[in-house]
């Protein structure tokens, strides 16, 4: 079990390093471009404001927008308002993420972001399947295995659905049947592979195959 756990953690850390590596350059370019734009609006554009005012003509909408941005960048009140807004946003995010329901709502919003949504889906499902494979193959109780797998997935949607999943198992329902009723949480491929594992009594192996499949999907998004 420890050997399988070590292999899983190594793969997870390798994927995490690749994600951070792929995001570092775009983040650097975005930050550099933002600093350059601020410097231009703060140092260069004010020299043109006097020219625009001396012309005493109606400026085009694009020019009016540039003038407004230039005045806003040089206004202390705008910066103070921006800091207050960021503080309020940070406080709101902390309050939202303090509960499982709040984390689930935020997670649903992030899933709609292009590329990021696919990365979150593939990553959380891969961790859910990999953890389930390790726990089930070691003989852990099914209820405990699925509960811990959902907790290790990092997905608040899976964690929120855990009580319903465990209740369905207690009532004698197949896991794949419960997953099929919640396609917004469980991907169709995962449901099909779990169903095949249940029919062949090889759920740990199929969970391992599913984890490998979603790891490949995550890698393709990077």
């Amino acid at each position: 079990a420890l050997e399988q756990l070590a292999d899983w953690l190594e793969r997870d850390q390798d994927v995490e390093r690749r994600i951070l590596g792929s995001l570092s350059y775009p983040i650097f370019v975005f930050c550099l471009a933002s600093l350059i734009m601020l410097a231009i609006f703060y140092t260069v554009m004010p020299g043109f404001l006097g020219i625009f005012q001396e012309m005493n003509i109606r400026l085009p909408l694009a020019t009016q927008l540039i003038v407004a941005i230039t005045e806003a960048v040089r206004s202390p009140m705008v910066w103070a308002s921006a800091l207050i807004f960021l503080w309020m946003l940070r406080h709101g995010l902390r309050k939202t993420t303090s509960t499982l329901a709040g984390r689930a709502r935020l997670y649903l919003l992030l899933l709609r972001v292009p590329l990021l949504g696919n990365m979150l889906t593939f990553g959380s499902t891969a961790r859910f399947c990999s953890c389930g494979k390790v726990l089930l193959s070691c003989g852990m109780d099914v209820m405990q295995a699925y509960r811990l797998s959902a907790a290790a997935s990092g997905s608040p949607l899976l964690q929120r659905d855990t009580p319903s999943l465990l209740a369905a198992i207690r009532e004698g329902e197949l896991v794949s049947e419960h997953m099929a009723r919640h396609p917004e949480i469980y991907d169709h491929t995962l449901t099909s592979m779990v169903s095949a594992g249940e029919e062949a009594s090889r759920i740990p192996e199929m969970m391992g195959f599913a984890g490998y499949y979603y790891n490949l999907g995550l890698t393709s998004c990077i």
Side-chain angles (χ1 to χ4, degrees):
L2 292 176
E3 184 178 0
Q4 294 183 57
L5 179 62
D7 293 337
W8 172 44
L9 290 177
E10 287 178 0
R11 290 195 301 268
D12 198 58
Q13 291 177 1
D14 180 64
V15 172
E16 182 179 354
R17 285 194 299 267
R18 294 180 63 179
I19 292 175
L20 293 177
S22 62
L23 293 178
S24 59
Y25 180 72
I27 292 175
F28 171 76
V29 172
F30 175 78
C31 293
L32 181 61
S34 299
L35 290 175
I36 292 175
M37 290 296 297
L38 285 175
I40 291 175
F41 279 109
Y42 194 83
T43 59
V44 178
M45 294 306 300
F48 292 93
L49 292 181
I51 299 176
F52 293 149
Q53 293 172 354
E54 292 176 358
M55 294 173 63
N56 196 23
I57 60 175
R58 181 176 178 82
L59 299 176
L61 181 60
T63 307
Q64 294 180 23
L65 180 61
I66 293 176
V67 171
I69 294 176
T70 304
E71 293 176 348
V73 169
R74 296 177 62 86
S75 173
M77 289 300 298
V78 172
W79 286 102
S81 301
L83 291 176
I84 294 175
F85 172 77
L86 291 176
W87 180 83
M88 294 177 62
L89 180 62
R90 177 176 176 272
H91 179 72
L93 287 176
R94 291 185 61 182
K95 186 176 180 179
T96 300
T97 55
S98 62
T99 62
L100 182 58
R103 291 196 298 272
R105 288 195 298 268
L106 180 60
Y107 193 81
L108 286 172
L109 291 177
L110 295 177
L111 289 179
R112 300 179 181 179
V113 179
L115 185 61
L116 178 61
N118 290 334
M119 293 174 64
L120 290 175
T121 300
F122 282 121
S124 61
T125 309
R127 286 192 293 271
F128 175 78
C129 296
S130 299
C131 183
K133 186 258 183 183
V134 172
L135 297 179
L136 291 173
S137 62
C138 295
M140 178 174 285
D141 176 70
V142 174
M143 308 281 286
Q144 184 79 343
Y146 280 114
R147 185 181 66 82
L148 294 177
S149 298
S153 69
S155 170
L157 299 181
L158 291 173
Q159 297 171 17
R160 188 176 62 178
D161 186 64
T162 298
S164 299
L165 175 62
L166 299 183
I169 296 175
R170 291 191 194 97
E171 295 174 0
E173 186 178 357
L174 294 177
V175 175
S176 59
E177 294 176 350
H178 176 82
M179 291 181 173
R181 292 202 311 271
H182 300 279
E184 72 282 0
I185 301 176
Y186 303 98
D187 187 66
H188 175 71
T189 302
L190 173 61
T191 303
S192 300
M193 299 184 78
V194 171
S195 177
E198 290 172 338
E199 293 178 3
S201 298
R202 298 180 60 185
I203 296 180
E205 290 87 347
M206 295 306 296
M207 291 287 283
F209 293 147
Y212 179 75
Y213 167 79
Y214 285 102
N215 268 322
L216 290 179
L218 178 60
T219 304
S220 65
C221 294
I222 302 176

